[in-house]
Amino acid sequence: MVTSEADGVRRRRGGGAEARRARRQGGGAVQLPPIRRRLANYEVLDEEGLALIERNADIVLEEIGIEFREDPESLALWREAGATVVGTRVRFPRGLCRSLLATAPPEFVQHARNAERSVRIGGDATVFAPVYGPPFVRDLDRGRRYGTIEDFRNFVKLAYMAPAIHHSGGTVCEPVDIPVNKRHLDMVFSHVRYSDKPFMGSVTHPERAADSVAMAEIVFGRDFVAENCVMISLINANSPMVFDGTMLGALKTYARAGQGTIVTPFILAGAMSPVTVAGTLAQVLAEVLAGAALTQLCRPGAPVVFGCFASSISMQSGAPTFGTPEPALVSYGAAQLARRLRLPFRTGGALCAAKTADAQAAYESANTLTGTVLAGTNFVLHAAGWLEGGLVSGYEKFVLDCDQLAMQQRFCEGVDLSANGQALDAIREVGPGSHYLGCAHTQANFETAFYRSTVADNNSFEQWLAEGEKTAEERGNALFKKWLAEYEAPPLDQAVEEELLDFIARRKASMPDAFA
Amino acid sequence: MVTSEADGVRRRRGGGAEARRARRQGGGAVQLPPIRRRLANYEVLDEEGLALIERNADIVLEEIGIEFREDPESLALWREAGATVVGTRVRFPRGLCRSLLATAPPEFVQHARNAERSVRIGGDATVFAPVYGPPFVRDLDRGRRYGTIEDFRNFVKLAYMAPAIHHSGGTVCEPVDIPVNKRHLDMVFSHVRYSDKPFMGSVTHPERAADSVAMAEIVFGRDFVAENCVMISLINANSPMVFDGTMLGALKTYARAGQGTIVTPFILAGAMSPVTVAGTLAQVLAEVLAGAALTQLCRPGAPVVFGCFASSISMQSGAPTFGTPEPALVSYGAAQLARRLRLPFRTGGALCAAKTADAQAAYESANTLTGTVLAGTNFVLHAAGWLEGGLVSGYEKFVLDCDQLAMQQRFCEGVDLSANGQALDAIREVGPGSHYLGCAHTQANFETAFYRSTVADNNSFEQWLAEGEKTAEERGNALFKKWLAEYEAPPLDQAVEEELLDFIARRKASMPDAFA
C-alpha cells in the first residue's frame, strides 16, 4: 500500500499522455484543483428582498432571540459582549452579531498535509467534499447495511481517487463497529493515512474535538496549527433558534484553536423553519449570525463559514424531500446573504431521498448540485455518495456523483474566447455541407475538446444490449471497485504515523467502550 | 371517450379542493398556464464576448456564406434582397439579415383550439412541449420497439394529462405503421382530436406543410388562420451552413401562411460545428440569421423563433452525448444572442443518451432541463419523454420528466416576499426549540407550501422495501398507465371532426402508400 515518495511526486505532477489517460479514466492519480468559478453567480433576490430578509433576521435576533443551551460559558460570553441573557435565551442588540463578524475572514486557506491539496475557502473558489454522517452504506452486491471502519476507509479512498473531490470530508459514514466514544480517533486517522486531501474534525463531544486538534498537531506541527487552519468542522444549529451544548463545546474548541467551523442551520422547512422561502431565510440568517459571531468571541479572526442545509418536508408524511424547487430558492438566497456578510458559504451537495441510485436519485441530486454550484457555494459537503436523505452512503452513487462534479468543474471554466476558442479558421476550413470530424482544429483540440464521462453509456443500443443492458448504477458498481483496486495510499512520514497510532492507543486505553 | 361540453368546462376551470387533489395527482384535468419567469436569466457571456461572437457570425455570413440547396426560389429571394448568390451559395452584405429580422415579432401568441391553452412565445414566457421525432418507443413491459399511431395517440394523451406540458408538440413519435407520405395527416388529426393544446405542423415535404395548414383552417377557420399563428413548426438547418429543399419548402409554406417556424441548427458539436463553444455559437448565429431572415422575405412579420439544438459528440466514438458542460454553455450563450436579436428562443429539453430511465437518463436530463430553463428559453421542445439521443420516446421517462417540469415551473415563480411569505408571525409563534408542524401559518399554507412530486418516493426504507423496492422507472410505469386509464378526450365540435376526417380521406385517396 505504501509507495515511494518519488512515486507520489510523479503521480501528483500529472502532466503528459499518461496523466491525460488517467484523467479520462476519472480516478486515481490525477487531481483537479479546487474550482475557480469564472461565471456569474445565479441570484434570486434583489436588493429590496435581501434588505427585507436581513431586517426580519434582525427582528428575530432582537425580539425572539436564540437559545444557547447546556453551555453557561457561551451565555457569559454573550453577556460580556452586551447581549441580554435571560435563562438560556440570548437577545442581541441590533447590529451586534454583524459587528462581531467583521473580524471573520472573507476567505481562508485550509491546509492539507500535501500542500498541493490545500484549498481556499471563500471568494470564487468552490470545494467539493463527500457525503457526511450516514449510519448506513449501500452497494448493489450487499445492499443496505450499517457502515464499518472498512467502509469508512473505502469512502476515504474513493474520495482520494476522485479527480473532482477536493476534500476528504469528515464522517463519510459512521463506523458503527467502533465504540462511539472512540471512533473519531479512527476516522481522523483514516483521513490522514489514506488520503492527503484536507479533512474535517469530530464534533460529537468537546473532548473529541480536542482529540482532533491534537492529532492535527501531530500531523502539521503544533506551531503550524496554532497559526493556520488545518481542519474544518460542521457545527449544526438545532433549529429553530437553538444551539446545544455538544455543538457549542465543539465550536469553542475549534474556534479557540484557530480552526474552521461551518455554522449550519439544519433545516427541513415546515418542521424546523416556516413553510416559506423568505421565512426560512430570515431564520437561517439569524441563526448563522448568532452562531458565527460566537466564534469571534472565542477568537477574533477564527475562520467561520455561513452554512445552510435546506430541504423541505412532505406535507403528507413529514418525510424530508430533496431536489424540489423551494429548497433551491433557499440555497440561492442564503448564498446571497452570505456574500453580503462577506463570509464563505456552504450549502447543498448531491442530495436525494431516493433509496438507490436510480432516476429519482439522479434528478434530485442534479437539481441540488446545479443549484449549489450556480449559487456560488464555496464549500460543498455531501457532493458525492448521499442517498436516502443522508441515512446511506452509496458506493455506486458516489462514483456517479463524482462524474457530475467533474462536469460542474468544467462548466465553471466558462467560455473560452481565445482565437482557438473562436475557431473561425475551422469554420473557414470546413465550409458548408462538410463536417468537422477530421479538420485541423478538431485534431488540435482532440484531447480536451469535450468533457468525457466516466460512467455514461453513449454507445449504440445494439452495443448496450450486447453488453448486458447495464444501468448507470451497474456501471457505477464496476467503477467503484476499479477505483478501490487501483488505489495506492499517498506517502506518509512513518514517524508521524507512529505518533498518531501511539496517541490513539493511549486515548483508547483511557476510556471504556461506549456504543451509545 | 367524448365528454359533454359542461364536463369540459368544469374540468378546465380547475378551482377548489377537487382541483387541488387532481393537481397533486399530477395528471388529468387541471393544467398549469405557461410559465412566466419571475427570476433572472443566467448568462455566461459578457458584452465583449457577445459582440465578438456576433462579429464572427457576420464574417461567416459575409465571407463563407450559407447554402440554400434544392430550392431556386430561395436563391431568387436572396438575390432580390441584395445578397450575392453563386451556385447555391448565398453571401450576405453586413447587416442584411439583421435588418430583415426587424419585422419579426419579439413575441407572439400561438392559439390553441381551447383558448385557455393558447401560449405566448417570447419574453418572460416559457412553454414546455413533448419529445419530437423518435422512430422508437419504450416501456418496461414491452421494451424498445418501433412507434405506431397507437403510441402516437398515447403520447398526445399523456401530454394532455400533464399539468406542466403546455403544448402538444409535433412528432411525439413516428407512427411507422402509417405510410410516410400520409402519416402527417394522422398526426395533426391526433393532436386536434386527443388534445386541446397548441400543436406543430409537418415539415417533411412542402405539400405536407400545406396539408397541415389546410387542417388548421378546418379547425380554426380560414380567416382566423390568415391573421393568427395557430401552428409552429421545426425547421432544422443541415449544419454546417446548409438549408435543404425539404426544410426550405416547409419554411416558405408556413411563413407565407403567417404560421410560426423555429429555425434550428441541429448541432452535434465536433461533427456539425467546431469543438469549441464560441465557435459553435458563431456558426449557430450565422445559420439562424440566414434562415430566420428568409421567413421575413416570404412574409414580413411572420413569427419565427431562434432555435439551437446543442449537443456534442464523444471524441472516441463520434456518438452524441448529452447533459455535459459544453452544450450547456452553448445553450446559455445562444439564449443571450437571441435576446439581443429580439427573437423568441428555443433550446434544450430533457435530453439524454441513456437507453432507459435510469440514473444516467436523469442526470443528463436534469442538467439539460435546468440549463434550458435558467437560460430563459421560450419554447422547450423535448421537455419530456426523450431517451437514447432522441431515437426513443420513453413512456416512463415521459411522466418522470413531467414531474421535473412542474418543479421547474414552481421554481420560476421565485420568492414570495409578501407578509405571508416572510412568515415572521410563524417564527414568533413557534419560538426556539419547538417545531412548525402544527403552527397556524403552516396550517394556512398546508395545501400549497411545497411542491409535491408525483413519482418521488420519500417514505421510509422499510416502507419502500415492503412496497417491493421499486425504482423511479417502475413507479413511472404505474403512473403513465394511470394517466392513460384516466384520460378523457377534450370536447371537439363534431362538424369539425367530420370535416377533418373527410379531408384526410380525400388526401389519402389521392396518393399511393409510400414507406420511405
Side-chain angles (χ1 to χ4, degrees):
Chain A
M1 199 136 61
V2 179
T3 58
S4 75
E5 185 63 37
D7 278 358
V9 170
R10 185 167 59 72
R11 278 210 313 281
R12 287 198 297 270
R13 287 282 150 76
E18 194 184 338
R20 283 195 299 272
R21 259 197 308 281
R23 198 177 294 128
R24 280 203 301 277
Q25 286 162 5
V30 177
Q31 297 291 329
L32 298 169
I35 293 172
R36 305 290 293 265
R37 301 185 312 279
R38 295 189 200 151
L39 294 171
N41 302 316
Y42 188 69
E43 308 204 320
V44 299
L45 290 166
D46 60 13
E47 173 63 33
E48 192 184 350
L50 290 163
L52 186 68
I53 286 162
E54 287 172 340
R55 197 188 63 202
N56 289 346
D58 284 343
I59 291 171
V60 171
L61 289 171
E62 205 171 0
E63 289 182 18
I64 303 171
I66 306 285
E67 296 265 342
F68 289 76
R69 294 185 179 168
E70 307 148 351
D71 190 58
E73 191 192 11
S74 291
L75 299 174
L77 285 168
W78 278 121
R79 203 175 283 114
E80 279 169 44
T84 306
V85 180
V86 178
T88 55
R89 182 81 61 101
V90 182
R91 291 184 177 83
F92 307 82
R94 184 74 52 108
L96 174 62
C97 295
R98 283 175 189 282
S99 69
L100 288 171
L101 281 168
T103 53
E107 56 183 84
F108 59 90
V109 172
Q110 181 188 353
H111 295 271
R113 69 179 182 86
N114 174 355
E116 291 181 31
R117 304 273 175 276
S118 295
V119 295
R120 200 162 56 86
I121 296 176
D124 62 0
T126 294
V127 171
F128 289 138
V131 60
Y132 183 106
F136 299 100
V137 300
R138 180 185 183 89
D139 62 35
L140 278 179
D141 306 287
R142 297 170 61 199
R144 182 191 197 253
R145 59 193 189 275
Y146 276 106
T148 64
I149 190 67
E150 190 192 341
D151 292 306
F152 190 98
R153 289 182 194 127
N154 283 342
F155 281 107
V156 170
K157 291 174 184 178
L158 291 174
Y160 173 72
M161 295 290 278
I165 297 266
H166 315 107
H167 197 286
S168 198
T171 310
V172 289
C173 70
E174 281 285 349
V176 300
D177 53 343
I178 310 228
V180 72
N181 57 337
K182 300 181 178 179
R183 66 178 66 145
H184 63 290
L185 300 163
D186 297 271
M187 292 198 277
V188 170
F189 178 78
S190 297
H191 283 298
V192 173
R193 184 65 204 87
Y194 300 108
S195 185
D196 60 3
K197 297 183 182 182
F199 60 92
M200 302 173 78
S202 173
V203 295
T204 54
H205 193 283
E207 264 187 24
R208 297 173 201 155
D211 283 343
S212 303
V213 173
M215 291 176 76
E217 288 173 344
I218 293 170
V219 176
F220 292 92
R222 183 177 288 247
D223 292 348
F224 190 83
V225 171
E227 299 303 326
N228 292 283
C229 175
V230 299
M231 245 185 318
I232 192 164
S233 299
L234 182 61
I235 306 296
N236 278 349
N238 200 341
S239 301
M241 295 167 278
V242 173
F243 287 91
D244 64 33
T246 302
M247 285 294 166
L248 291 171
L251 177 149
K252 290 185 297 178
T253 302
Y254 286 119
R256 285 177 175 145
Q259 301 307 303
T261 50
I262 309 170
V263 175
T264 306
F266 179 90
I267 299 285
L268 305 180
M272 289 86 150
S273 78
V275 294
T276 60
V277 173
T280 297
L281 281 170
Q283 184 187 308
V284 162
L285 178 56
E287 292 171 355
V288 171
L289 280 168
L294 182 62
T295 65
Q296 304 304 300
L297 289 178
C298 294
R299 175 165 163 169
V304 60
V305 174
F306 183 133
C308 174
F309 181 96
S311 172
S312 56
I313 59 165
S314 159
M315 297 304 281
Q316 293 103 314
S317 68
T321 65
F322 296 91
T324 52
E326 297 85 3
L329 292 168
V330 170
S331 286
Y332 282 119
Q336 292 184 257
L337 295 168
R339 281 193 286 277
R340 284 160 70 95
L341 266 177
R342 293 174 48 79
L343 288 182
F345 181 66
R346 172 244 157 166
T347 196
L351 311 179
C352 63
K355 314 299 179 289
T356 183
D358 68 347
Q360 180 184 342
Y363 279 122
E364 293 175 343
S365 296
N367 287 350
T368 49
L369 182 63
T370 299
T372 300
V373 171
L374 293 186
T377 304
N378 301 114
F379 189 80
V380 184
L381 202 56
H382 315 306
W386 167 293
L387 275 178
E388 209 189 296
L391 287 175
V392 174
S393 294
Y395 278 91
E396 292 86 4
K397 178 70 165 28
F398 192 96
V399 294
L400 293 176
D401 286 336
C402 285
D403 191 37
Q404 296 296 312
L405 298 178
M407 288 191 213
Q408 293 285 352
Q409 177 138 10
R410 172 66 73 96
F411 178 80
C412 289
E413 292 172 10
V415 181
D416 172 13
L417 293 171
S418 69
N420 183 64
Q422 293 176 59
L424 212 42
D425 287 345
I427 302 175
R428 284 196 180 98
E429 179 187 343
V430 170
S434 185
H435 65 76
Y436 290 80
L437 292 174
C439 80
H441 182 262
T442 298
Q443 284 180 23
N445 291 277
F446 182 81
E447 284 286 346
T448 57
F450 300 123
Y451 177 76
R452 299 183 183 192
S453 170
T454 52
V455 285
D457 182 311
N458 301 311
N459 296 328
S460 69
F461 176 71
E462 290 70 22
Q463 190 168 343
W464 177 75
L465 266 189
E467 291 172 2
E469 304 184 61
K470 288 201 175 67
T471 63
E473 190 175 27
E474 290 167 321
R475 292 192 299 275
N477 184 269
L479 186 59
F480 90 72
K481 289 173 182 169
K482 180 171 180 289
W483 284 13
L484 288 180
E486 290 176 358
Y487 168 83
E488 292 177 73
L492 175 64
D493 186 286
Q494 200 167 338
V496 167
E497 181 166 359
E498 282 166 13
E499 198 178 337
L500 285 170
L501 291 172
D502 182 59
F503 176 85
I504 293 169
R506 279 186 290 113
R507 288 291 295 142
K508 286 193 174 179
S510 74
M511 303 178 262
D513 288 355
F515 275 93
Chain B
M1 196 138 61
V2 179
T3 57
S4 76
E5 186 63 37
D7 277 357
V9 169
R10 186 167 56 75
R11 276 211 313 280
R12 285 198 298 271
R13 287 281 149 79
E18 192 184 342
R20 282 196 299 274
R21 258 196 309 281
R23 199 177 294 127
R24 281 204 300 278
Q25 287 163 3
V30 177
Q31 297 289 331
L32 297 169
I35 293 172
R36 305 289 293 264
R37 301 186 312 279
R38 294 190 201 151
L39 294 171
N41 301 315
Y42 188 70
E43 307 206 320
V44 299
L45 290 166
D46 60 13
E47 173 64 34
E48 192 183 351
L50 291 163
L52 186 68
I53 287 162
E54 288 172 340
R55 196 188 62 201
N56 289 346
D58 284 344
I59 291 171
V60 171
L61 288 171
E62 204 170 359
E63 289 182 17
I64 304 170
I66 305 285
E67 296 265 340
F68 289 78
R69 295 184 178 168
E70 308 150 351
D71 190 57
E73 191 193 10
S74 291
L75 298 173
L77 286 168
W78 278 121
R79 201 175 284 115
E80 279 168 46
T84 307
V85 180
V86 179
T88 55
R89 182 81 60 101
V90 181
R91 291 185 176 81
F92 307 82
R94 184 72 52 106
L96 174 62
C97 294
R98 284 176 187 281
S99 69
L100 288 171
L101 282 167
T103 52
E107 56 183 84
F108 58 91
V109 171
Q110 182 188 353
H111 295 270
R113 70 178 181 86
N114 173 354
E116 291 180 33
R117 304 273 175 277
S118 296
V119 295
R120 200 163 55 89
I121 297 176
D124 63 0
T126 294
V127 170
F128 290 139
V131 61
Y132 183 106
F136 299 100
V137 300
R138 179 185 183 88
D139 63 34
L140 279 179
D141 306 287
R142 298 170 60 198
R144 182 190 195 255
R145 59 194 189 273
Y146 276 105
T148 64
I149 190 68
E150 190 192 342
D151 291 307
F152 189 99
R153 290 183 194 126
N154 283 341
F155 281 106
V156 170
K157 293 174 183 176
L158 291 174
Y160 173 72
M161 295 290 279
I165 297 264
H166 315 108
H167 197 284
S168 197
T171 310
V172 289
C173 68
E174 281 286 348
V176 300
D177 53 342
I178 309 231
V180 72
N181 58 336
K182 300 181 177 177
R183 64 176 69 144
H184 64 288
L185 300 164
D186 298 271
M187 292 198 278
V188 170
F189 178 78
S190 296
H191 283 298
V192 173
R193 184 64 204 86
Y194 301 107
S195 185
D196 60 3
K197 298 183 181 181
F199 60 92
M200 302 173 77
S202 173
V203 295
T204 55
H205 193 285
E207 263 187 24
R208 297 174 200 154
D211 282 343
S212 303
V213 173
M215 290 176 75
E217 287 172 344
I218 294 171
V219 175
F220 292 92
R222 182 177 288 245
D223 292 346
F224 190 84
V225 172
E227 299 303 325
N228 292 283
C229 175
V230 300
M231 249 188 315
I232 192 164
S233 299
L234 181 62
I235 306 297
N236 278 347
N238 200 341
S239 301
M241 294 166 281
V242 173
F243 288 90
D244 65 33
T246 302
M247 285 294 166
L248 290 170
L251 178 147
K252 290 184 299 178
T253 303
Y254 286 120
R256 284 176 176 145
Q259 300 307 303
T261 51
I262 309 170
V263 176
T264 305
F266 179 90
I267 299 285
L268 306 179
M272 288 86 148
S273 79
V275 293
T276 59
V277 172
T280 297
L281 281 171
Q283 183 187 307
V284 162
L285 178 57
E287 291 171 356
V288 171
L289 280 168
L294 182 62
T295 64
Q296 303 304 301
L297 289 178
C298 294
R299 174 164 164 171
V304 61
V305 174
F306 184 132
C308 174
F309 180 95
S311 172
S312 57
I313 59 165
S314 158
M315 296 305 281
Q316 293 104 313
S317 67
T321 64
F322 296 91
T324 52
E326 297 85 3
L329 292 168
V330 170
S331 286
Y332 282 118
Q336 292 184 258
L337 294 167
R339 280 192 287 276
R340 284 160 72 95
L341 266 177
R342 293 174 49 81
L343 288 182
F345 181 66
R346 172 244 157 168
T347 196
L351 311 178
C352 63
K355 315 299 179 289
T356 183
D358 67 350
Q360 179 184 341
Y363 279 123
E364 292 174 343
S365 296
N367 288 349
T368 49
L369 182 63
T370 299
T372 299
V373 171
L374 292 187
T377 304
N378 302 114
F379 189 81
V380 184
L381 201 57
H382 314 306
W386 168 292
L387 275 178
E388 210 188 295
L391 287 174
V392 174
S393 295
Y395 278 91
E396 292 87 5
K397 177 71 165 27
F398 192 96
V399 294
L400 293 177
D401 286 336
C402 285
D403 191 37
Q404 296 296 313
L405 298 178
M407 290 193 213
Q408 293 285 351
Q409 179 139 8
R410 172 68 72 98
F411 178 81
C412 289
E413 292 171 10
V415 181
D416 171 13
L417 293 171
S418 69
N420 183 64
Q422 293 177 58
L424 211 42
D425 287 344
I427 302 176
R428 285 197 180 97
E429 178 187 345
V430 170
S434 186
H435 65 75
Y436 291 80
L437 294 173
C439 79
H441 182 264
T442 299
Q443 284 180 23
N445 291 276
F446 182 82
E447 283 286 347
T448 56
F450 300 123
Y451 177 76
R452 300 183 182 191
S453 171
T454 53
V455 285
D457 181 310
N458 302 310
N459 296 328
S460 69
F461 176 71
E462 290 71 22
Q463 190 169 343
W464 178 76
L465 267 187
E467 290 173 3
E469 304 184 59
K470 288 202 175 68
T471 63
E473 190 175 26
E474 290 167 321
R475 292 192 299 275
N477 184 268
L479 186 60
F480 90 72
K481 290 172 182 169
K482 180 172 179 288
W483 284 13
L484 288 180
E486 290 175 358
Y487 168 83
E488 290 179 73
L492 174 65
D493 186 286
Q494 201 166 339
V496 167
E497 181 166 358
E498 282 166 12
E499 198 178 339
L500 285 170
L501 291 171
D502 182 60
F503 176 85
I504 292 168
R506 279 186 290 112
R507 289 290 295 140
K508 285 192 173 179
S510 74
M511 302 178 263
D513 288 353
F515 275 93

Coordinates of all heavy atoms in Angstrom, one line a residue, chain B residues 214-239:
Chain B
A214 N -54.0 23.4 -44.1 CA -55.4 23.2 -44.5 C -56.2 22.6 -43.3 O -57.4 23.0 -43.1 CB -55.4 22.3 -45.7
M215 N -55.6 21.7 -42.6 CA -56.3 21.1 -41.5 C -56.5 22.2 -40.4 O -57.6 22.2 -39.7 CB -55.6 19.9 -41.0 CG -55.6 18.7 -42.0 SD -54.7 17.3 -41.5 CE -55.7 16.6 -40.2
A216 N -55.5 23.0 -40.2 CA -55.7 24.1 -39.2 C -56.8 25.0 -39.6 O -57.5 25.5 -38.7 CB -54.3 24.8 -39.0
E217 N -56.9 25.2 -40.9 CA -58.0 26.1 -41.4 C -59.4 25.5 -41.1 O -60.3 26.2 -40.8 CB -57.8 26.4 -42.9 CG -56.7 27.4 -43.1 CD -56.4 27.5 -44.6 OE1 -56.8 26.7 -45.4 OE2 -55.6 28.5 -44.9
I218 N -59.5 24.2 -41.1 CA -60.7 23.5 -40.8 C -61.0 23.7 -39.3 O -62.2 24.0 -38.9 CB -60.7 22.0 -41.1 CG1 -60.6 21.8 -42.6 CG2 -61.9 21.3 -40.5 CD1 -60.3 20.4 -43.1
V219 N -60.0 23.6 -38.5 CA -60.2 23.7 -37.0 C -60.5 25.1 -36.6 O -61.4 25.4 -35.8 CB -59.0 23.2 -36.3 CG1 -59.1 23.4 -34.7 CG2 -58.7 21.7 -36.6
F220 N -59.7 26.1 -37.1 CA -59.7 27.5 -36.6 C -60.5 28.4 -37.5 O -60.8 29.5 -37.1 CB -58.3 28.0 -36.5 CG -57.5 27.4 -35.4 CD1 -56.7 26.3 -35.6 CD2 -57.5 27.9 -34.1 CE1 -55.9 25.7 -34.6 CE2 -56.8 27.3 -33.1 CZ -56.0 26.2 -33.4
G221 N -60.8 28.0 -38.7 CA -61.4 28.9 -39.7 C -60.3 29.6 -40.6 O -59.3 30.0 -40.1
R222 N -60.6 29.7 -41.9 CA -59.6 30.2 -42.8 C -59.2 31.6 -42.5 O -58.0 32.0 -42.5 CB -60.1 30.1 -44.2 CG -59.2 30.5 -45.3 CD -59.8 30.3 -46.7 NE -59.9 28.9 -47.0 CZ -59.2 28.3 -48.0 NH1 -58.5 29.0 -48.8 NH2 -59.3 27.0 -48.3
D223 N -60.2 32.4 -42.2 CA -59.9 33.9 -41.9 C -59.0 34.0 -40.7 O -58.1 34.8 -40.6 CB -61.2 34.7 -41.7 CG -62.0 34.8 -43.0 OD1 -61.4 34.4 -44.0 OD2 -63.1 35.1 -42.9
F224 N -59.3 33.2 -39.6 CA -58.5 33.3 -38.4 C -57.1 32.9 -38.6 O -56.1 33.6 -38.2 CB -59.2 32.4 -37.3 CG -58.6 32.6 -36.0 CD1 -59.0 33.7 -35.1 CD2 -57.6 31.8 -35.5 CE1 -58.5 33.9 -33.9 CE2 -57.0 32.0 -34.2 CZ -57.5 33.0 -33.4
V225 N -56.9 31.8 -39.4 CA -55.5 31.3 -39.7 C -54.7 32.3 -40.5 O -53.5 32.5 -40.3 CB -55.6 29.9 -40.4 CG1 -54.2 29.5 -40.8 CG2 -56.2 28.9 -39.4
A226 N -55.4 33.0 -41.4 CA -54.7 34.0 -42.2 C -54.1 35.1 -41.4 O -53.0 35.7 -41.8 CB -55.7 34.6 -43.2
E227 N -54.7 35.4 -40.2 CA -54.2 36.5 -39.4 C -53.6 36.1 -38.1 O -53.1 37.0 -37.4 CB -55.3 37.5 -39.2 CG -55.9 38.1 -40.5 CD -54.9 38.8 -41.3 OE1 -54.0 39.4 -40.7 OE2 -55.0 38.7 -42.6
N228 N -53.6 34.8 -37.8 CA -53.1 34.4 -36.5 C -52.2 33.2 -36.6 O -52.4 32.4 -37.4 CB -54.3 34.1 -35.6 CG -55.1 35.3 -35.2 OD1 -54.7 36.1 -34.4 ND2 -56.2 35.5 -35.9
C229 N -51.3 33.1 -35.6 CA -50.5 31.9 -35.5 C -51.2 30.8 -34.8 O -51.6 30.9 -33.6 CB -49.2 32.2 -34.8 SG -48.1 30.8 -34.5
V230 N -51.5 29.7 -35.5 CA -52.2 28.5 -34.9 C -51.3 27.3 -34.9 O -51.7 26.2 -34.4 CB -53.5 28.2 -35.5 CG1 -54.4 29.5 -35.4 CG2 -53.3 27.8 -37.0
M231 N -50.1 27.4 -35.5 CA -49.2 26.3 -35.6 C -47.8 26.8 -35.6 O -47.5 27.9 -36.0 CB -49.4 25.5 -37.0 CG -50.0 24.2 -36.8 SD -50.0 23.3 -38.3 CE -50.6 24.5 -39.4
I232 N -46.9 25.9 -35.1 CA -45.5 26.3 -35.1 C -44.7 25.0 -35.5 O -45.1 23.9 -35.2 CB -45.0 26.8 -33.7 CG1 -43.6 27.4 -33.8 CG2 -45.0 25.7 -32.7 CD1 -43.3 28.3 -32.6
S233 N -43.7 25.2 -36.4 CA -43.1 24.1 -37.0 C -41.6 24.2 -36.9 O -41.0 25.3 -36.9 CB -43.6 23.9 -38.4 OG -45.0 23.7 -38.4
L234 N -40.9 23.0 -36.9 CA -39.5 22.9 -36.7 C -38.7 22.9 -38.0 O -38.8 21.9 -38.7 CB -39.2 21.7 -35.8 CG -37.8 21.4 -35.4 CD1 -37.3 22.5 -34.5 CD2 -37.7 20.1 -34.7
I235 N -37.9 23.9 -38.3 CA -37.1 24.0 -39.5 C -35.7 23.8 -39.1 O -35.1 24.7 -38.5 CB -37.3 25.3 -40.2 CG1 -38.8 25.6 -40.5 CG2 -36.5 25.4 -41.5 CD1 -39.5 24.6 -41.4
N236 N -35.1 22.6 -39.3 CA -33.7 22.4 -39.0 C -32.8 22.9 -40.1 O -33.0 22.6 -41.2 CB -33.5 20.9 -38.7 CG -33.9 20.5 -37.3 OD1 -34.1 21.4 -36.4 ND2 -33.9 19.2 -37.0
A237 N -31.7 23.6 -39.7 CA -30.6 23.7 -40.6 C -29.9 22.4 -40.7 O -29.8 21.6 -39.8 CB -29.6 24.8 -40.1
N238 N -29.3 22.2 -41.9 CA -28.5 21.0 -42.1 C -27.0 21.4 -41.9 O -26.3 21.5 -42.8 CB -28.8 20.5 -43.6 CG -28.4 19.1 -43.8 OD1 -27.6 18.5 -43.0 ND2 -28.9 18.5 -44.8
S239 N -26.7 21.6 -40.6 CA -25.4 22.2 -40.3 C -24.2 21.3 -40.7 O -24.4 20.1 -40.7 CB -25.3 22.5 -38.8 OG -26.4 23.3 -38.4

